[in-house]
Amino acid sequence: MSLVDRHVGFIHALREAGLPVSLAEGLDAARALRVIDLTERESLRAAYAATLVKKPGYRPGFDVLFDLWFPASTTSLYDQGPGAAGMPDPETAPVEDLRGYLARLLTDGADAELREFARAMVERFGRQQAGPGRQNWFSYSVMRALSPETLMARILREVLAGQERGGLAEKTARQRVTANTRRFEEAVATDVRRRIAEDSGIERIARSAVRPPLDQIDFLRVTKADLARLRREVHPLARRLAARLTIKHRRGRRGRLDFRRTMRASLQSGGVPLTTHFKPPRPHKPELVILCDTSDSVSSFAHFTLLLTYALREQFTKVRAFGFVDTVDEITRFFVPGADVVEAMTRLANEADMVRFGRTNYGHALERFAERYGDAIGPKTSLLILGDARSNYQPPALDVLKSLVARSRHAYWLNPEPRQQWDTGDSIATDYGTVVPMHECRNVSQLAGFIEQLA
């Protein structure tokens, strides 16, 4: 495969993995290759990263794909014999000797030595025959054979050698060994992916090797680990959402008549006030009402939107939040400023009155909201509805929603389902969309785009 083919394939793989790479950026990367030494693989990596990677969160996926498209070695060129000085014969050495060599690398080994040893261990332990002429490669068999996580006590005995345990020396040694163990695991995984790509094709393994960037992960498919990482994204989005709502609230408004300036200006026209002057409008924090579907079908989205509610509640005192399944309850009290977010979520699940029979019913929830909390909506209020508009074939209560929207200053609906699934099954997205502008909001990127549109 030529360098041009690898470049084009690499750019295409980045786009398929969700990393935004424009045509101009691809050309910039190609130009960068003209001014570096192509034999220096890390210089090549740095050139691509500088021209193509926009956010730190995109870097892990970029590195995985770079290692697939520009591998450090290929099986046909890799020397199967002993490698660096001191490395036992990877083909015949007892496992205990290999573990001893790995312990030395985890203590003070260079990165190149770790990678070379990882390739040798994948060759010895990572292969499993899957039939005549076929083989599979696995990381777990390498890690099971060498068990690097069990070497810590052995390494500490050698490193400390009579020094007092529990001090700074032990802490430093543990951190270094833990970091090197992680690097070794990554090197094994990288070589396994390389070998699978050689057998099955780079394009095939590239599609399954990289998870989408955090801002591209579908709300309805996030894991607990993803939600923990998403918490860091919430507060900047909350600040931007509040700023956009403020701008939208103030746009087109003028302050009160400035009588003094108007009369002074009229002296130039014989006392006739041809030009009127107004005072600047008073700064105004928007009033926000959030109505959030908390049913199981959108539980991950509800979790994220409740985190967003929590962030907004911390910034503004005039935010009221309501959760519903088939009835509605105000949940603002769980998100007081300074409260622990995990504790707030637990209390909400145990104490909030949002469920009668457990089946989502938007119509009944809207009717109960209008009956119990209708005074929350006023001419200064922005109404934000969060949910998938699936109401289990129950009446939608469109008239109630129309009356709520008519009383509010602005109203928006964020739907976590793909647009092509709207109006399928029990979805009545279009019906609600005729009353409230409905926006597809499946990930952080789309939420950020919606916030930008508000300006």
Side-chain angles (χ1 to χ4, degrees):
M1 185 184 296
S2 70
L3 179 59
V4 173
D5 292 334
R6 287 188 182 275
H7 171 81
V8 173
F10 179 50
I11 296 296
H12 180 69
L14 289 172
R15 290 170 179 156
E16 283 200 332
L19 277 68
V21 178
S22 67
L23 177 61
E25 289 164 343
L27 293 174
D28 288 341
R31 294 189 187 98
L33 303 186
R34 298 167 57 187
V35 296
I36 64 170
D37 184 355
L38 294 177
T39 62
E40 293 287 341
R41 183 167 175 268
E42 291 309 308
S43 296
L44 181 64
R45 185 195 300 268
Y48 271 118
T51 51
L52 302 179
V53 179
K54 299 180 179 66
K55 296 181 180 179
Y58 295 163
R59 186 60 190 256
F62 165 88
D63 284 330
V64 169
L65 293 174
F66 180 87
D67 289 333
L68 286 173
W69 286 93
F70 302 95
S73 65
T74 59
T75 303
S76 60
L77 299 177
Y78 176 59
D79 181 12
Q80 304 293 338
M87 182 192 294
D89 188 332
E91 296 287 335
T92 60
V95 172
E96 193 55 35
D97 290 350
L98 295 173
R99 278 170 51 82
Y101 182 71
L102 176 59
R104 185 184 73 78
L105 293 180
L106 296 181
T107 304
D108 56 7
D111 192 59
E113 291 179 303
L114 268 177
R115 289 198 301 267
E116 184 175 358
F117 184 66
R119 288 195 294 267
M121 294 303 95
V122 171
E123 178 65 26
R124 176 165 176 178
F125 298 111
R127 187 202 325 254
Q128 292 187 12
Q129 293 301 130
R134 295 177 56 211
Q135 57 190 5
N136 293 330
W137 299 93
F138 298 96
S139 297
Y140 80 88
S141 56
V142 179
M143 307 311 294
R144 183 179 59 187
L146 298 176
S147 299
E149 69 280 358
T150 65
L151 294 172
M152 179 67 77
R154 172 178 175 177
I155 293 172
L156 290 177
R157 281 198 306 270
E158 296 176 358
V159 171
L160 297 178
Q163 299 182 52
E164 183 181 356
R165 299 295 296 268
L168 180 61
E170 179 179 346
K171 182 178 180 180
T172 302
R174 283 184 179 275
Q175 290 176 344
R176 181 170 65 251
V177 172
T178 300
N180 286 338
T181 301
R182 188 160 51 247
R183 286 164 52 208
F184 177 71
E185 293 172 350
E186 292 171 354
V188 169
T190 296
D191 197 63
V192 166
R193 284 193 295 266
R194 176 184 66 80
R195 292 172 185 270
I196 295 175
E198 288 180 354
D199 295 341
S200 304
I202 299 176
E203 294 84 357
R204 181 178 178 182
I205 186 64
R207 283 193 290 269
S208 59
V210 181
R211 289 204 71 200
L214 184 63
D215 61 357
Q216 301 285 339
I217 296 177
D218 197 316
F219 284 134
L220 299 183
R221 293 174 175 81
V222 297
T223 63
K224 289 184 178 180
D226 293 328
L227 284 171
R229 294 161 59 207
L230 281 171
R231 288 177 187 172
R232 293 191 291 271
E233 302 287 327
V234 167
H235 287 276
L237 287 172
R239 286 193 295 269
R240 288 163 60 189
L241 177 58
R244 295 298 183 266
L245 290 174
T246 303
I247 291 170
K248 205 163 183 65
H249 183 86
R250 290 171 58 184
R251 178 169 292 168
R253 289 179 64 240
R254 293 187 298 183
R256 298 171 62 185
L257 176 68
D258 190 331
F259 183 77
R260 179 176 295 180
R261 289 183 61 200
T262 301
M263 293 307 297
R264 186 177 298 165
S266 71
L267 296 177
Q268 302 177 9
S269 55
V272 180
L274 298 179
T275 304
T276 54
H277 294 270
F278 295 87
K279 296 179 180 180
R282 292 182 179 179
H284 177 78
K285 290 183 179 180
E287 298 178 8
L288 181 62
V289 169
I290 300 175
L291 191 57
C292 179
D293 182 352
T294 60
S295 61
D296 291 340
S297 63
V298 290
S299 58
S300 297
F301 179 61
H303 192 114
F304 178 79
T305 54
L306 291 174
L307 288 173
L308 180 64
T309 302
Y310 178 82
L312 288 167
R313 184 71 177 87
E314 281 192 321
Q315 295 194 37
F316 297 102
T317 57
K318 201 59 175 180
V319 175
R320 297 183 67 179
F322 303 85
F324 69 91
V325 177
D326 55 359
T327 190
V328 66
D329 189 18
E330 182 165 7
I331 57 177
T332 314
R333 63 188 183 277
F334 300 111
F335 299 100
V336 294
D340 179 73
V341 63
V342 177
E343 180 183 344
M345 296 293 183
T346 304
R347 288 188 57 210
L348 185 149
N350 295 332
E351 300 176 22
D353 180 22
M354 299 180 291
V355 183
R356 295 181 307 160
F357 308 114
R359 295 174 63 85
T360 312
N361 187 332
Y362 277 74
H364 185 267
L366 289 171
E367 290 171 349
R368 290 292 291 162
F369 176 80
E371 178 184 330
R372 297 174 59 185
Y373 307 108
D375 58 350
I377 306 294
K380 298 180 180 179
T381 306
S382 291
L383 174 63
L384 184 61
I385 303 175
L386 310 164
D388 59 2
R390 292 188 176 273
S391 194
N392 287 295
Y393 304 101
Q394 301 300 316
L398 291 176
D399 291 340
V400 176
L401 181 60
K402 288 177 181 177
S403 67
L404 294 174
V405 172
R407 297 207 304 269
S408 67
R409 184 174 184 86
H410 307 290
Y412 314 95
W413 189 310
L414 302 184
N415 190 326
E417 284 196 333
R419 191 176 296 272
Q420 58 268 26
Q421 294 181 16
W422 295 4
D423 299 325
T424 62
D426 61 342
S427 171
I428 47 177
T430 297
D431 291 343
Y432 283 133
T434 59
V435 181
V436 183
M438 188 171 292
H439 303 265
E440 180 183 297
C441 185
R442 294 187 294 111
N443 51 49
V444 171
S445 179
Q446 288 187 337
L447 177 58
F450 161 73
I451 293 172
E452 293 302 322
Q453 288 179 17
L454 292 183

